[in-house]
Amino acid sequence: MDFGIIIADVDSLRHSYTSFALSQVRLPTSIGATDLDQLDPLIGDKRLYEHREAVFHQGDPSRALYIVRSGSLKTSVADPAGGEQVLGFHLPGEIVGIGGLGKDFYLGTAEALESSNIWAIPHARLQPILEKFPILHQQLQQMVSRWADTNLEHLIIMGKTLAQVRLAMFLRSFASRCDRLSRDPLNLTLPMSRRDLASYLGLTLETVSREFSRMQAKDILAVRGKEVRILRADRLVDLCGDGQPLLHRGTSE
Amino acid sequence: MDFGIIIADVDSLRHSYTSFALSQVRLPTSIGATDLDQLDPLIGDKRLYEHREAVFHQGDPSRALYIVRSGSLKTSVADPAGGEQVLGFHLPGEIVGIGGLGKDFYLGTAEALESSNIWAIPHARLQPILEKFPILHQQLQQMVSRWADTNLEHLIIMGKTLAQVRLAMFLRSFASRCDRLSRDPLNLTLPMSRRDLASYLGLTLETVSREFSRMQAKDILAVRGKEVRILRADRLVDLCGDGQPLLHRGTSE
DNA sequence: CGCTATATTGAAGGCTATCAAGTCAGGTGG
DNA sequence: CCACCTGACTTGATAGCCTTCAATATAGCG
């Protein structure tokens, strides 16, 4: 363990949020493509993780952050009784392991949902590079900030009592993240199992499956396994019950 | 907005966690009494907030952290539809406003649950002081880290399907925090309303009330309004369903 | 081609939300 | 000081939703 988060003057940090609160809960803890080039000297290992292979385990010494380059990950925590709580799903460009930043050990496990290229940023390498390139402070700043946003959104979803609302909010969020990746936000390929999604939403897998079917019966979705097409984005958004749109284009930045 | 979080080498940061994960999810984003003395030059305003008075509002420019010196706060986020999600309750020694650190605006609202003395740490003042006293980096480090722990625990509570389990986990957590404050962990005075607690737990206030009554009927608790006595800590812990004890004394540090 | 894991669908029961009534405590004004 | 009022809490009844258990279907894979 070789570093810690400190506070420093970065006046240039007035970053991009022009709106506030929920409207800026844009999920992915992600960095842009151009930023990735700058990060190149930071990269440690680059390697392919297979389906179900762990990038790090709960309790491992926390030595690096990880960037998803392709594929997807899930993060989760386990309790001694054998229960598992899924904390999030992570798409290309997003960063995992931030929760281990201020700690000696990872609080949870990160595991590949499919064949995924993952780059490691060892903590030891991060620190000297940040001193050379202060602009990266802002990147890290935003990483932490967006990670907090992600967790906040998860909490808000879990606070909803109806299963339908929770699933709708998840799909809206996932579509928004796909849009950021320049994927079609209306033709989703969910990388996670129903079980993982159910855990994330605080429901049982049967309920998740049923809610998919109900939304399909209402012609809001077309569901075939992990392929989900959003037919009526307007009604999906209505189900969420807050005033948030599916896509955030032009709302800030 | 005058500062941001950056990463720097603080090798001495190997701090105290010897166990991992859930066993170290010790809630309060808090600092010790001795640390408070060191923070003295950081303090901006010190003043008394009355019941229901907001320390900061969702959307306000984020200019300071706040330390609870006496009394208690709740933090929450509101959505445009009028819904409110309570994010946490904050006891003396704990710090709120961390979520605004990397942002220009507060993501949520912090409001006093009773007459509370609150100290402000303006961001502008934090930065130069941190440069002078590197030891404080560690404090801030731990603040962010514990704030993350708190959110994680909240998520785990929300992931439970039975109302009884959620309430039991909350009470266990609250008792543990009281113990840290050298309060009797078995004689709790809950500062929040049933409505706020229900929102925090993702339930309705009626359900919370009923679960209190059920636990009282089972002689696990003695409940009289906001005064809650834990009669059978063993059975309360059993209800939680994970292997975590009520108190964490001696598990680390 | 079967095996296994995953997903869907069904039926039943339990749990929670909702609506409603009643209780209680605190605060205000008479 | 008391009556009233208001908000918070408790308790009850009902309906609806979700979980659970179970069976079936489907897909991936050797």
Side-chain angles (χ1 to χ4, degrees), chain B residues 77-192:
Chain B
V77 288
D79 64 49
E84 182 195 41
Q85 176 62 52
V86 171
L87 299 177
F89 307 106
H90 311 279
L91 301 181
E94 299 175 17
I95 291 175
V96 299
I98 294 179
L101 263 187
K103 297 191 160 54
D104 290 340
F105 303 96
Y106 290 113
L107 284 180
T109 296
E111 136 184 358
L113 293 171
E114 58 194 307
S115 282
S116 305
N117 279 294
I118 309 293
W119 290 359
I121 302 180
H123 292 168
R125 204 172 296 196
L126 188 58
Q127 184 267 323
I129 294 288
L130 282 170
E131 288 181 356
K132 283 188 189 169
F133 304 102
I135 183 70
L136 291 183
H137 292 161
Q138 185 172 348
Q139 295 299 332
L140 185 65
Q141 167 67 36
Q142 289 185 359
M143 280 163 46
V144 174
S145 182
R146 284 180 182 164
W147 173 70
D149 287 346
T150 304
N151 290 342
L152 177 59
E153 188 196 54
H154 191 184
L155 225 49
I156 290 170
I157 289 177
M158 295 269 243
K160 305 300 172 183
T161 54
L162 279 98
Q164 215 171 353
V165 177
R166 295 193 202 181
L167 182 56
M169 291 181 79
F170 166 78
L171 290 172
R172 180 183 58 177
S173 163
F174 194 86
S176 175
R177 289 159 72 188
C178 285
D179 187 54
R180 287 192 146 205
L181 289 173
S182 303
R183 295 179 182 175
D184 184 348
L186 299 181
N187 280 293
L188 310 178
T189 301
L190 304 179
M192 76 292 292

Side-chain angles (χ1 to χ4, degrees), chain A residues 33-75:
Chain A
T34 51
D35 308 320
L36 272 180
D37 300 334
Q38 296 179 308
L39 285 177
D40 201 60
L42 281 171
I43 305 306
D45 295 331
K46 307 179 184 182
R47 84 172 182 84
L48 189 69
Y49 289 80
E50 295 301 333
H51 182 53
R52 297 196 168 175
E53 188 181 358
V55 176
F56 54 81
H57 285 96
Q58 184 168 325
D60 283 350
S62 60
R63 287 197 251 269
L65 300 175
Y66 296 89
I67 302 181
V68 182
R69 290 296 294 151
S70 70
S72 53
L73 304 180
K74 76 165 182 184
T75 46

Side-chain angles (χ1 to χ4, degrees), chain A residues 1-11 13-22 24-25 58-60 77-81 83 85-87 99 101-108 123 126-127 130-131 134 137-138 140-142 144-149 151-152 154-156 158-161 166 199 201-204 241-244, chain B residues 1-11 13-22 24-25 58-60 77-81 83 85-87 99 101-108 123 126-127 130-131 134 137-138 140-141 144-149 151-152 154-156 158-161 166 199-204 241-244:
Chain A
M1 176 77 190
D2 351 76
F3 74 95
I5 293 179
I6 66 166
I7 296 285
D9 191 325
V10 184
D11 213 336
L13 272 195
R14 308 166 185 283
H15 51 286
S16 50
Y17 295 148
T18 57
S19 57
F20 69 94
L22 287 185
Q24 77 183 20
V25 175
Q58 184 168 325
D60 283 350
V77 288
D79 64 48
Q85 175 62 52
V86 171
L87 300 177
L101 263 187
K103 297 192 160 54
D104 290 340
F105 303 96
Y106 290 112
L107 285 179
H123 291 168
L126 186 58
Q127 183 268 324
L130 282 170
E131 288 180 358
H137 292 161
Q138 186 173 346
L140 185 65
Q141 166 68 35
Q142 289 185 0
V144 175
S145 183
R146 284 180 182 162
W147 173 71
D149 287 346
N151 290 341
L152 177 58
H154 192 184
L155 264 160
I156 290 171
M158 295 271 242
K160 304 299 172 186
T161 53
R166 295 192 202 181
S199 170
L201 298 176
L203 302 167
T204 61
D242 52 19
Q244 308 302 323
Chain B
M1 176 79 191
D2 346 79
F3 74 95
I5 294 179
I6 64 165
I7 295 286
D9 191 323
V10 184
D11 214 335
L13 272 195
R14 309 168 185 282
H15 51 286
S16 49
Y17 296 147
T18 56
S19 58
F20 69 95
L22 286 185
Q24 78 184 19
V25 175
Q58 184 169 325
D60 283 351
V77 288
D79 64 49
Q85 176 62 52
V86 171
L87 299 177
L101 263 187
K103 297 191 160 54
D104 290 340
F105 303 96
Y106 290 113
L107 284 180
H123 292 168
L126 188 58
Q127 184 267 323
L130 282 170
E131 288 181 356
H137 292 161
Q138 185 172 348
L140 185 65
Q141 167 67 36
V144 174
S145 182
R146 284 180 182 164
W147 173 70
D149 287 346
N151 290 342
L152 177 59
H154 191 184
L155 225 49
I156 290 170
M158 295 269 243
K160 305 300 172 183
T161 54
R166 295 193 202 181
S199 171
Y200 179 82
L201 298 176
L203 302 167
T204 62
D242 52 19
Q244 308 302 323

Side-chain angles (χ1 to χ4, degrees), chain B residues 213-228:
Chain B
S213 299
R214 278 181 60 188
M215 290 194 195
Q216 185 167 35
K218 293 200 275 181
D219 292 321
I220 296 172
L221 303 177
V223 182
R224 207 181 60 239
K226 305 194 166 183
E227 303 296 322
V228 175

Side-chain angles (χ1 to χ4, degrees), chain A residues 147-219:
Chain A
W147 173 71
D149 287 346
T150 305
N151 290 341
L152 177 58
E153 189 196 53
H154 192 184
L155 264 160
I156 290 171
I157 289 177
M158 295 271 242
K160 304 299 172 186
T161 53
L162 281 100
Q164 215 171 353
V165 177
R166 295 192 202 181
L167 181 56
M169 291 182 78
F170 166 77
L171 290 172
R172 179 183 59 177
S173 163
F174 194 86
S176 174
R177 289 159 72 187
C178 285
D179 187 53
R180 289 194 145 204
L181 289 173
S182 302
R183 295 179 182 174
D184 184 348
L186 300 181
N187 281 292
L188 309 178
T189 301
L190 304 178
M192 77 291 292
S193 68
R194 294 288 191 264
R195 173 180 301 279
D196 287 338
L197 182 51
S199 170
Y200 179 82
L201 298 176
L203 302 167
T204 61
L205 66 94
E206 293 95 328
T207 297
V208 171
S209 182
R210 265 184 263 271
E211 293 304 327
F212 271 122
S213 299
R214 279 181 59 187
M215 290 195 194
Q216 184 166 35
K218 294 200 275 182
D219 291 322

